[in-house]
Amino acid sequence: MNISQVLQFEGAMDSLIWKSPIEDFNTTSQLIVDETHEALLVINGNACDLFGPGRHTLETPNIPFVQRIINIPTDGKTSFPCKVFFINKVHQMDITWGIPGEITLNDPVYDIFLHIGMCGNMNFQIADSRKFMLKMVGFRDYFEADEMVSKFRGIIKQYVKSYISKIMNVRKVSYFDMNENLFDISKEVKEQLKPIFADYGVDVLQFFIESITVPDEDFNAVKKAKEANTSRRIQGYTWREERQMDIAETFAGNEGTIGNVGGAVGGFMIGKVFGGNIADFTNDAFKPENRSNANSSKNSQNTTSAACFCSQCKNSLTEDMLFCPKCGARQAKQCANCHTRLLPDAAFCHQCGTPC
């Protein structure tokens, strides 16, 4: 039996925690700690002393020769178990993390739900060895960096999702623009994660989000919406205005829609879409006063062709005026046969087909 033993790190260089196989050693045993590690002495299940680099003489209740006598009642088992754990203090670089497509967020620009996945890497160091052992490792024989990242995966996912959701919804940033801001996003997420990791004795030195991805079907849906939006912007109208123009065309082509609105209202609605305030024409068409005005306008047109007013400012006009002299709005002509207001550039009446 050795009177005194020598304990030093002999594990894998990348291990965060390594327990020496020498246990229940006698007092005056020698502990050698290198510059890249700290050593935690555990006696009777208690984390007693933390040792830095150098040679240290250990004091334990295990006394040579006397120990045999003390262990007789326990059938040779020591009454004072002791262990040494080596903690790696080297900066851990390029430790990868990943979140598959488990985060569902709504793209605020194109109003499409996306299944977002993310991946990246982080650099960290064990800052508080005792806290790390007690709260994260729990006196395991060894512990690797990948295991630590796996334990923190849920926390990383929660904070990354929360921050990216805030950026997309509050700042109205589309998925297509997220990858352009990954550096700033990574810095913000790191600052939120630092106090969480510090509570387990870990110092987050750097945190990077390398890419934000979506499945092909989600990407194609956003790409299609982006192309349609670009096309509308080039042509000078929005998605809402496109829908309003569809409604206007439906009114113009269906006489009798909503009572007698189809024929009379359809014409001036089309004119309003292409020559006036496109954002409000749909709402105006359904107002009771406009419906009654449309009916009365149609009746007056059937009785006389002399009464003519600007569709924008209601200024009195003559039938030969193509533009209002007061507000400049372009005016629709009137069919000589059925007195329906025509589109500004119409060659035939859209109600009766009479040439203009």
Side-chain angles (χ1 to χ4, degrees), residues 44-287:
N44 295 329
N46 297 315
C48 297
D49 295 315
L50 187 65
F51 299 93
R55 175 186 288 272
H56 308 276
T57 299
L58 302 177
E59 296 181 3
T60 74
N62 296 323
I63 303 172
F65 306 114
V66 178
Q67 186 69 14
R68 287 187 179 181
I69 300 174
I70 297 175
N71 294 342
I72 290 175
T74 58
D75 196 23
K77 264 188 153 181
T78 179
S79 302
F80 307 104
C82 49
K83 306 173 183 179
V84 169
F85 294 86
F86 290 87
I87 299 95
N88 194 338
K89 300 290 288 184
V90 173
H91 289 194
Q92 304 298 315
M93 310 292 287
D94 290 331
I95 305 301
T96 59
W97 61 268
I99 302 173
E102 300 174 354
I103 301 176
T104 303
L105 296 174
N106 184 45
D107 190 297
V109 177
Y110 304 108
D111 195 25
I112 296 174
F113 278 100
L114 305 174
H115 300 84
I116 292 177
M118 281 164 281
C119 65
N121 65 77
M122 60 185 297
N123 305 336
F124 67 88
Q125 179 189 26
I126 298 177
D128 190 325
S129 299
R130 185 187 298 270
K131 184 182 289 185
F132 185 73
M133 286 292 299
L134 297 179
K135 300 189 71 171
M136 176 62 66
V137 180
F139 301 142
R140 295 169 57 178
D141 289 354
Y142 58 88
F143 193 77
E144 306 294 336
D146 290 342
E147 294 181 76
M148 193 204 74
V149 174
S150 177
K151 285 180 175 291
F152 279 105
R153 181 174 176 272
I155 295 175
I156 293 174
K157 174 182 175 181
Q158 175 185 350
Y159 278 85
V160 171
K161 174 183 177 181
S162 174
Y163 192 73
I164 288 183
S165 177
K166 184 184 299 184
I167 291 177
M168 292 181 69
N169 294 324
V170 175
R171 301 183 188 177
K172 304 301 181 186
V173 177
S174 171
Y175 159 75
F176 273 99
D177 301 319
M178 292 299 293
N179 285 310
E180 299 175 4
N181 300 277
L182 287 185
F183 182 77
D184 293 331
I185 296 173
S186 297
K187 286 177 58 178
E188 293 291 338
V189 174
K190 172 196 165 187
E191 293 306 314
Q192 295 187 37
L193 290 175
K194 277 183 73 72
I196 305 298
F197 278 77
D199 193 41
Y200 292 88
V202 179
D203 182 19
V204 178
L205 305 175
Q206 293 178 309
F207 183 88
F208 300 106
I209 302 174
E210 293 183 341
S211 65
I212 301 177
T213 61
V214 295
D216 290 341
E217 55 268 25
D218 289 1
F219 178 84
N220 291 333
V222 178
K223 181 180 179 182
K224 183 178 179 181
K226 180 179 176 65
E227 292 172 349
N229 185 61
T230 302
S231 175
R232 295 188 194 99
R233 188 168 59 250
I234 292 174
Q235 297 180 45
Y237 61 91
T238 65
W239 177 88
R240 181 173 180 231
E241 292 168 345
E242 182 181 352
R243 300 284 75 76
Q244 291 172 338
M245 284 188 282
D246 291 341
I247 295 173
E249 291 174 357
T250 302
F251 268 98
N254 293 277
E255 183 165 5
T257 305
I258 312 179
N260 294 320
V261 180
V265 178
F268 80 78
M269 283 181 66
I270 288 288
K272 197 169 186 182
V273 169
F274 290 99
N277 185 357
I278 192 168
D280 298 325
F281 85 93
T282 305
N283 293 332
D284 291 346
F286 286 94
K287 291 180 180 179

